[in-house]
Amino acid sequence: SEYLICDLNVSKEAIETLLELKIELDIPLAIVGVSGPKMAHLPEDLTALDVIICNIDETQTYFKTDIEDASQLCQLWLDKGVKKVVVTAGSAGAYYGEGKHIAYQKARVVEQTSIVDVTGAGDAFSSALMYGIIEGYSLSEAVQLGTINASLTIQVTHAVNPNISIKTIKEELKKGAAPQVAINAGFDRAFVTILDANITTLLVAIILYTIGTGPVKGFAITLSIGIMTSMFTAIMGTRA
């Protein structure tokens, strides 16, 4: 494995074992916060930890502090020996730090009328951020990827948007495109991928209907309807 990634739904003993395994196998370890109470699962000694991603409340709970300044909370993690730190503050953005450097990433503004479901925004942020780190992006770039992914996630009903590629949006943003332009480009380029992923299955369904009988024909019809519905929602139903 290139990276060990774990959230705090597991026990404190499990986290301690992962920290030992990280040292033994020399594999980077990232831990993602889940809630304030679950911070009790995080050990005291974090000098071996490579990445932590958590919010203000979780950080306050762990350090038993009333500090509300996310940059100061970020520094507390760095002082514990964690190599890369990200402290999120919801719509207020996030602070991130590495070594002696702490910086701020503002949240990507989404119009209230465009927000569909905020469920999964945190997971989308963490997953895109870790993708960036694993792929060798700087912490700043990785946090930006997380911010973009979270903003896109809250605009659709899907927990994982099938139309958006992190790579595509990253390329468009590098060109200086406005966020919505980058999103549109992502959708346009994703169309071919969506079509390719579904057309083979649809062809199989047609063949089954042609040569099959009874229940096989029924299965082929159901499969075809499912594929066409999936394609329609992926292309039309989730577009920003």
Side-chain angles (χ1 to χ4, degrees):
S1 299
E2 292 185 36
Y3 238 98
L4 295 172
I5 304 174
C6 179
D7 66 25
L8 289 175
N9 278 314
V10 301
S11 67
K12 185 175 184 178
E13 291 74 19
I15 297 295
E16 290 173 338
T17 300
L18 282 174
L19 285 166
E20 292 174 1
L21 188 65
K22 171 261 185 304
I23 295 172
E24 180 182 344
L25 300 180
D26 193 25
I27 300 175
L29 172 63
I31 292 179
V32 182
V34 174
S35 67
K38 293 289 180 69
M39 295 304 288
H41 297 177
L42 200 59
E44 179 66 24
D45 185 1
L46 299 177
T47 53
L49 186 59
D50 294 277
V51 180
I52 190 162
I53 305 169
C54 56
N55 61 30
I56 289 178
D57 176 67
E58 291 161 356
T59 304
Q60 289 174 325
T61 300
Y62 180 79
F63 288 103
K64 297 180 176 60
T65 179
D66 293 327
I67 296 174
E68 296 184 357
D69 187 327
S71 65
Q72 293 182 38
L73 294 174
C74 194
Q75 186 62 56
L76 291 178
W77 290 115
L78 293 173
D79 291 342
K80 288 282 291 184
V82 182
K83 296 176 180 62
K84 292 182 174 68
V85 177
V86 180
V87 177
T88 61
S91 60
Y95 278 86
Y96 57 94
E98 183 175 14
K100 297 181 179 180
H101 177 70
I102 294 177
Y104 171 69
Q105 170 65 52
K106 66 179 180 179
R108 193 168 289 275
V109 178
V110 177
E111 296 294 334
Q112 189 66 35
T113 54
S114 298
I115 298 176
V116 177
D117 188 355
V118 297
T119 304
D123 290 337
F125 176 87
S126 298
S127 60
L129 189 155
M130 287 309 304
Y131 167 87
I133 290 176
I134 293 171
E135 289 298 311
Y137 293 123
S138 68
L139 183 57
S140 174
E141 292 172 324
V143 171
Q144 185 180 30
L145 291 180
T147 301
I148 294 170
N149 203 35
S151 69
L152 296 177
T153 297
I154 65 176
Q155 296 182 64
V156 298
T157 55
H158 292 66
V160 178
N161 193 324
N163 293 329
I164 298 296
S165 161
I166 291 180
K167 182 178 179 181
T168 300
I169 295 178
K170 181 70 175 176
E171 289 174 350
E172 295 300 322
L173 290 176
K174 277 185 176 180
K175 296 176 184 177
Q180 190 61 47
V181 174
I183 293 170
N184 290 336
F187 274 98
D188 292 338
R189 294 186 184 183
F191 177 78
V192 175
T193 302
I194 296 168
L195 188 64
D196 179 66
N198 289 280
I199 196 67
T200 302
T201 306
L202 187 59
L203 287 173
V204 171
I206 293 172
I207 293 172
L208 286 175
Y209 181 81
T210 302
I211 65 176
T213 59
V216 176
K217 282 183 177 290
F219 171 74
I221 293 173
T222 303
L223 181 61
S224 298
I225 293 173
I227 288 296
M228 288 186 286
T229 302
S230 176
M231 288 181 64
F232 176 79
T233 56
I235 296 170
M236 301 299 295
T238 64
R239 184 149 191 158

PDB file of all heavy atoms in Angstrom, residues 136-161:
ATOM      1  N   GLY A 136       1.172  13.082  -5.120  1.00  0.00           N
ATOM      2  CA  GLY A 136       2.363  13.920  -5.087  1.00  0.00           C
ATOM      3  C   GLY A 136       2.120  15.414  -5.184  1.00  0.00           C
ATOM      4  O   GLY A 136       3.074  16.192  -5.333  1.00  0.00           O
ATOM      5  N   TYR A 137       0.860  15.853  -5.095  1.00  0.00           N
ATOM      6  CA  TYR A 137       0.584  17.291  -5.103  1.00  0.00           C
ATOM      7  C   TYR A 137       1.064  17.906  -3.790  1.00  0.00           C
ATOM      8  O   TYR A 137       1.189  17.223  -2.770  1.00  0.00           O
ATOM      9  CB  TYR A 137      -0.914  17.554  -5.256  1.00  0.00           C
ATOM     10  CG  TYR A 137      -1.495  17.150  -6.587  1.00  0.00           C
ATOM     11  CD1 TYR A 137      -2.553  16.241  -6.651  1.00  0.00           C
ATOM     12  CD2 TYR A 137      -1.005  17.678  -7.769  1.00  0.00           C
ATOM     13  CE1 TYR A 137      -3.098  15.864  -7.868  1.00  0.00           C
ATOM     14  CE2 TYR A 137      -1.540  17.315  -8.995  1.00  0.00           C
ATOM     15  CZ  TYR A 137      -2.594  16.409  -9.040  1.00  0.00           C
ATOM     16  OH  TYR A 137      -3.130  16.044 -10.236  1.00  0.00           O
ATOM     17  N   SER A 138       1.294  19.186  -3.811  1.00  0.00           N
ATOM     18  CA  SER A 138       1.629  19.892  -2.580  1.00  0.00           C
ATOM     19  C   SER A 138       0.397  19.893  -1.681  1.00  0.00           C
ATOM     20  O   SER A 138      -0.730  19.666  -2.144  1.00  0.00           O
ATOM     21  CB  SER A 138       2.048  21.335  -2.885  1.00  0.00           C
ATOM     22  OG  SER A 138       0.936  22.076  -3.363  1.00  0.00           O
ATOM     23  N   LEU A 139       0.579  20.166  -0.387  1.00  0.00           N
ATOM     24  CA  LEU A 139      -0.554  20.198   0.531  1.00  0.00           C
ATOM     25  C   LEU A 139      -1.549  21.277   0.112  1.00  0.00           C
ATOM     26  O   LEU A 139      -2.763  21.083   0.196  1.00  0.00           O
ATOM     27  CB  LEU A 139      -0.072  20.448   1.967  1.00  0.00           C
ATOM     28  CG  LEU A 139      -1.150  20.443   3.052  1.00  0.00           C
ATOM     29  CD1 LEU A 139      -1.927  19.133   3.054  1.00  0.00           C
ATOM     30  CD2 LEU A 139      -0.529  20.701   4.421  1.00  0.00           C
ATOM     31  N   SER A 140      -1.041  22.393  -0.358  1.00  0.00           N
ATOM     32  CA  SER A 140      -1.899  23.480  -0.821  1.00  0.00           C
ATOM     33  C   SER A 140      -2.786  23.026  -1.983  1.00  0.00           C
ATOM     34  O   SER A 140      -3.999  23.278  -1.998  1.00  0.00           O
ATOM     35  CB  SER A 140      -1.046  24.672  -1.261  1.00  0.00           C
ATOM     36  OG  SER A 140      -1.850  25.674  -1.844  1.00  0.00           O
ATOM     37  N   GLU A 141      -2.198  22.341  -2.941  1.00  0.00           N
ATOM     38  CA  GLU A 141      -2.964  21.848  -4.092  1.00  0.00           C
ATOM     39  C   GLU A 141      -3.958  20.776  -3.667  1.00  0.00           C
ATOM     40  O   GLU A 141      -5.089  20.729  -4.161  1.00  0.00           O
ATOM     41  CB  GLU A 141      -2.008  21.299  -5.143  1.00  0.00           C
ATOM     42  CG  GLU A 141      -1.151  22.349  -5.823  1.00  0.00           C
ATOM     43  CD  GLU A 141      -0.090  21.741  -6.722  1.00  0.00           C
ATOM     44  OE1 GLU A 141       0.455  20.669  -6.370  1.00  0.00           O
ATOM     45  OE2 GLU A 141       0.208  22.346  -7.775  1.00  0.00           O
ATOM     46  N   ALA A 142      -3.544  19.920  -2.749  1.00  0.00           N
ATOM     47  CA  ALA A 142      -4.430  18.850  -2.282  1.00  0.00           C
ATOM     48  C   ALA A 142      -5.647  19.424  -1.565  1.00  0.00           C
ATOM     49  O   ALA A 142      -6.777  18.950  -1.754  1.00  0.00           O
ATOM     50  CB  ALA A 142      -3.660  17.909  -1.355  1.00  0.00           C
ATOM     51  N   VAL A 143      -5.430  20.455  -0.744  1.00  0.00           N
ATOM     52  CA  VAL A 143      -6.544  21.094  -0.042  1.00  0.00           C
ATOM     53  C   VAL A 143      -7.489  21.752  -1.044  1.00  0.00           C
ATOM     54  O   VAL A 143      -8.712  21.728  -0.876  1.00  0.00           O
ATOM     55  CB  VAL A 143      -6.026  22.129   0.984  1.00  0.00           C
ATOM     56  CG1 VAL A 143      -7.175  22.943   1.560  1.00  0.00           C
ATOM     57  CG2 VAL A 143      -5.280  21.423   2.106  1.00  0.00           C
ATOM     58  N   GLN A 144      -6.925  22.313  -2.090  1.00  0.00           N
ATOM     59  CA  GLN A 144      -7.764  22.932  -3.124  1.00  0.00           C
ATOM     60  C   GLN A 144      -8.632  21.882  -3.811  1.00  0.00           C
ATOM     61  O   GLN A 144      -9.814  22.104  -4.062  1.00  0.00           O
ATOM     62  CB  GLN A 144      -6.890  23.646  -4.162  1.00  0.00           C
ATOM     63  CG  GLN A 144      -7.715  24.414  -5.205  1.00  0.00           C
ATOM     64  CD  GLN A 144      -6.838  25.115  -6.224  1.00  0.00           C
ATOM     65  OE1 GLN A 144      -5.739  24.653  -6.523  1.00  0.00           O
ATOM     66  NE2 GLN A 144      -7.317  26.217  -6.761  1.00  0.00           N
ATOM     67  N   LEU A 145      -8.054  20.729  -4.094  1.00  0.00           N
ATOM     68  CA  LEU A 145      -8.834  19.641  -4.684  1.00  0.00           C
ATOM     69  C   LEU A 145      -9.976  19.238  -3.759  1.00  0.00           C
ATOM     70  O   LEU A 145     -11.101  19.000  -4.205  1.00  0.00           O
ATOM     71  CB  LEU A 145      -7.941  18.433  -4.958  1.00  0.00           C
ATOM     72  CG  LEU A 145      -6.896  18.546  -6.068  1.00  0.00           C
ATOM     73  CD1 LEU A 145      -6.114  17.238  -6.179  1.00  0.00           C
ATOM     74  CD2 LEU A 145      -7.527  18.905  -7.388  1.00  0.00           C
ATOM     75  N   GLY A 146      -9.676  19.137  -2.468  1.00  0.00           N
ATOM     76  CA  GLY A 146     -10.707  18.783  -1.510  1.00  0.00           C
ATOM     77  C   GLY A 146     -11.829  19.799  -1.469  1.00  0.00           C
ATOM     78  O   GLY A 146     -13.016  19.445  -1.416  1.00  0.00           O
ATOM     79  N   THR A 147     -11.460  21.062  -1.526  1.00  0.00           N
ATOM     80  CA  THR A 147     -12.451  22.141  -1.496  1.00  0.00           C
ATOM     81  C   THR A 147     -13.361  22.082  -2.716  1.00  0.00           C
ATOM     82  O   THR A 147     -14.581  22.228  -2.614  1.00  0.00           O
ATOM     83  CB  THR A 147     -11.740  23.505  -1.437  1.00  0.00           C
ATOM     84  OG1 THR A 147     -10.913  23.554  -0.267  1.00  0.00           O
ATOM     85  CG2 THR A 147     -12.734  24.640  -1.384  1.00  0.00           C
ATOM     86  N   ILE A 148     -12.764  21.857  -3.883  1.00  0.00           N
ATOM     87  CA  ILE A 148     -13.544  21.768  -5.115  1.00  0.00           C
ATOM     88  C   ILE A 148     -14.500  20.577  -5.057  1.00  0.00           C
ATOM     89  O   ILE A 148     -15.685  20.694  -5.381  1.00  0.00           O
ATOM     90  CB  ILE A 148     -12.614  21.632  -6.336  1.00  0.00           C
ATOM     91  CG1 ILE A 148     -11.784  22.898  -6.520  1.00  0.00           C
ATOM     92  CG2 ILE A 148     -13.418  21.342  -7.607  1.00  0.00           C
ATOM     93  CD1 ILE A 148     -10.679  22.757  -7.538  1.00  0.00           C
ATOM     94  N   ASN A 149     -13.981  19.430  -4.636  1.00  0.00           N
ATOM     95  CA  ASN A 149     -14.797  18.217  -4.603  1.00  0.00           C
ATOM     96  C   ASN A 149     -15.974  18.363  -3.641  1.00  0.00           C
ATOM     97  O   ASN A 149     -17.086  17.922  -3.931  1.00  0.00           O
ATOM     98  CB  ASN A 149     -13.942  17.012  -4.216  1.00  0.00           C
ATOM     99  CG  ASN A 149     -14.542  15.699  -4.676  1.00  0.00           C
ATOM    100  OD1 ASN A 149     -15.157  15.619  -5.738  1.00  0.00           O
ATOM    101  ND2 ASN A 149     -14.373  14.655  -3.887  1.00  0.00           N
ATOM    102  N   ALA A 150     -15.736  18.978  -2.490  1.00  0.00           N
ATOM    103  CA  ALA A 150     -16.810  19.188  -1.519  1.00  0.00           C
ATOM    104  C   ALA A 150     -17.888  20.102  -2.086  1.00  0.00           C
ATOM    105  O   ALA A 150     -19.085  19.851  -1.923  1.00  0.00           O
ATOM    106  CB  ALA A 150     -16.243  19.775  -0.227  1.00  0.00           C
ATOM    107  N   SER A 151     -17.463  21.159  -2.787  1.00  0.00           N
ATOM    108  CA  SER A 151     -18.434  22.103  -3.342  1.00  0.00           C
ATOM    109  C   SER A 151     -19.279  21.463  -4.439  1.00  0.00           C
ATOM    110  O   SER A 151     -20.457  21.781  -4.602  1.00  0.00           O
ATOM    111  CB  SER A 151     -17.718  23.343  -3.897  1.00  0.00           C
ATOM    112  OG  SER A 151     -16.960  23.029  -5.058  1.00  0.00           O
ATOM    113  N   LEU A 152     -18.693  20.540  -5.190  1.00  0.00           N
ATOM    114  CA  LEU A 152     -19.446  19.842  -6.235  1.00  0.00           C
ATOM    115  C   LEU A 152     -20.398  18.817  -5.639  1.00  0.00           C
ATOM    116  O   LEU A 152     -21.512  18.627  -6.127  1.00  0.00           O
ATOM    117  CB  LEU A 152     -18.477  19.148  -7.202  1.00  0.00           C
ATOM    118  CG  LEU A 152     -17.554  20.051  -8.010  1.00  0.00           C
ATOM    119  CD1 LEU A 152     -16.614  19.216  -8.866  1.00  0.00           C
ATOM    120  CD2 LEU A 152     -18.349  21.011  -8.874  1.00  0.00           C
ATOM    121  N   THR A 153     -19.975  18.179  -4.571  1.00  0.00           N
ATOM    122  CA  THR A 153     -20.785  17.132  -3.946  1.00  0.00           C
ATOM    123  C   THR A 153     -22.096  17.675  -3.399  1.00  0.00           C
ATOM    124  O   THR A 153     -23.140  17.024  -3.513  1.00  0.00           O
ATOM    125  CB  THR A 153     -19.994  16.442  -2.816  1.00  0.00           C
ATOM    126  OG1 THR A 153     -18.846  15.808  -3.381  1.00  0.00           O
ATOM    127  CG2 THR A 153     -20.836  15.403  -2.102  1.00  0.00           C
ATOM    128  N   ILE A 154     -22.077  18.857  -2.814  1.00  0.00           N
ATOM    129  CA  ILE A 154     -23.301  19.397  -2.216  1.00  0.00           C
ATOM    130  C   ILE A 154     -24.287  19.906  -3.264  1.00  0.00           C
ATOM    131  O   ILE A 154     -25.415  20.272  -2.928  1.00  0.00           O
ATOM    132  CB  ILE A 154     -22.987  20.525  -1.218  1.00  0.00           C
ATOM    133  CG1 ILE A 154     -22.360  21.738  -1.913  1.00  0.00           C
ATOM    134  CG2 ILE A 154     -22.090  20.017  -0.104  1.00  0.00           C
ATOM    135  CD1 ILE A 154     -22.125  22.918  -0.975  1.00  0.00           C
ATOM    136  N   GLN A 155     -23.888  19.880  -4.533  1.00  0.00           N
ATOM    137  CA  GLN A 155     -24.786  20.336  -5.588  1.00  0.00           C
ATOM    138  C   GLN A 155     -25.516  19.203  -6.298  1.00  0.00           C
ATOM    139  O   GLN A 155     -26.298  19.439  -7.217  1.00  0.00           O
ATOM    140  CB  GLN A 155     -23.998  21.150  -6.626  1.00  0.00           C
ATOM    141  CG  GLN A 155     -23.402  22.426  -6.057  1.00  0.00           C
ATOM    142  CD  GLN A 155     -22.659  23.235  -7.108  1.00  0.00           C
ATOM    143  OE1 GLN A 155     -23.240  23.731  -8.073  1.00  0.00           O
ATOM    144  NE2 GLN A 155     -21.355  23.373  -6.924  1.00  0.00           N
ATOM    145  N   VAL A 156     -25.267  17.964  -5.880  1.00  0.00           N
ATOM    146  CA  VAL A 156     -25.926  16.814  -6.509  1.00  0.00           C
ATOM    147  C   VAL A 156     -26.436  15.868  -5.435  1.00  0.00           C
ATOM    148  O   VAL A 156     -26.051  15.947  -4.271  1.00  0.00           O
ATOM    149  CB  VAL A 156     -24.953  16.053  -7.438  1.00  0.00           C
ATOM    150  CG1 VAL A 156     -24.485  16.942  -8.576  1.00  0.00           C
ATOM    151  CG2 VAL A 156     -23.758  15.517  -6.661  1.00  0.00           C
ATOM    152  N   THR A 157     -27.309  14.954  -5.846  1.00  0.00           N
ATOM    153  CA  THR A 157     -27.850  13.973  -4.910  1.00  0.00           C
ATOM    154  C   THR A 157     -26.914  12.796  -4.721  1.00  0.00           C
ATOM    155  O   THR A 157     -27.051  12.038  -3.765  1.00  0.00           O
ATOM    156  CB  THR A 157     -29.204  13.446  -5.410  1.00  0.00           C
ATOM    157  OG1 THR A 157     -29.046  12.921  -6.746  1.00  0.00           O
ATOM    158  CG2 THR A 157     -30.246  14.557  -5.438  1.00  0.00           C
ATOM    159  N   HIS A 158     -25.956  12.639  -5.644  1.00  0.00           N
ATOM    160  CA  HIS A 158     -25.008  11.528  -5.549  1.00  0.00           C
ATOM    161  C   HIS A 158     -23.945  11.802  -4.486  1.00  0.00           C
ATOM    162  O   HIS A 158     -23.424  12.911  -4.405  1.00  0.00           O
ATOM    163  CB  HIS A 158     -24.283  11.307  -6.883  1.00  0.00           C
ATOM    164  CG  HIS A 158     -25.163  10.805  -7.976  1.00  0.00           C
ATOM    165  ND1 HIS A 158     -26.195  11.556  -8.512  1.00  0.00           N
ATOM    166  CD2 HIS A 158     -25.170   9.626  -8.635  1.00  0.00           C
ATOM    167  CE1 HIS A 158     -26.792  10.865  -9.463  1.00  0.00           C
ATOM    168  NE2 HIS A 158     -26.191   9.683  -9.557  1.00  0.00           N
ATOM    169  N   ALA A 159     -23.630  10.792  -3.669  1.00  0.00           N
ATOM    170  CA  ALA A 159     -22.519  10.928  -2.725  1.00  0.00           C
ATOM    171  C   ALA A 159     -21.198  11.004  -3.490  1.00  0.00           C
ATOM    172  O   ALA A 159     -20.257  11.655  -3.073  1.00  0.00           O
ATOM    173  CB  ALA A 159     -22.490   9.746  -1.762  1.00  0.00           C
ATOM    174  N   VAL A 160     -21.163  10.304  -4.663  1.00  0.00           N
ATOM    175  CA  VAL A 160     -20.005  10.359  -5.553  1.00  0.00           C
ATOM    176  C   VAL A 160     -20.519  10.779  -6.925  1.00  0.00           C
ATOM    177  O   VAL A 160     -21.265  10.050  -7.558  1.00  0.00           O
ATOM    178  CB  VAL A 160     -19.288   9.001  -5.662  1.00  0.00           C
ATOM    179  CG1 VAL A 160     -18.124   9.094  -6.636  1.00  0.00           C
ATOM    180  CG2 VAL A 160     -18.800   8.540  -4.294  1.00  0.00           C
ATOM    181  N   ASN A 161     -20.131  11.969  -7.372  1.00  0.00           N
ATOM    182  CA  ASN A 161     -20.592  12.480  -8.655  1.00  0.00           C
ATOM    183  C   ASN A 161     -19.908  11.724  -9.791  1.00  0.00           C
ATOM    184  O   ASN A 161     -18.686  11.781  -9.921  1.00  0.00           O
ATOM    185  CB  ASN A 161     -20.279  13.975  -8.761  1.00  0.00           C
ATOM    186  CG  ASN A 161     -20.991  14.640  -9.917  1.00  0.00           C
ATOM    187  OD1 ASN A 161     -21.166  14.030 -10.973  1.00  0.00           O
ATOM    188  ND2 ASN A 161     -21.403  15.874  -9.724  1.00  0.00           N
TER     189      ASN A 161
END
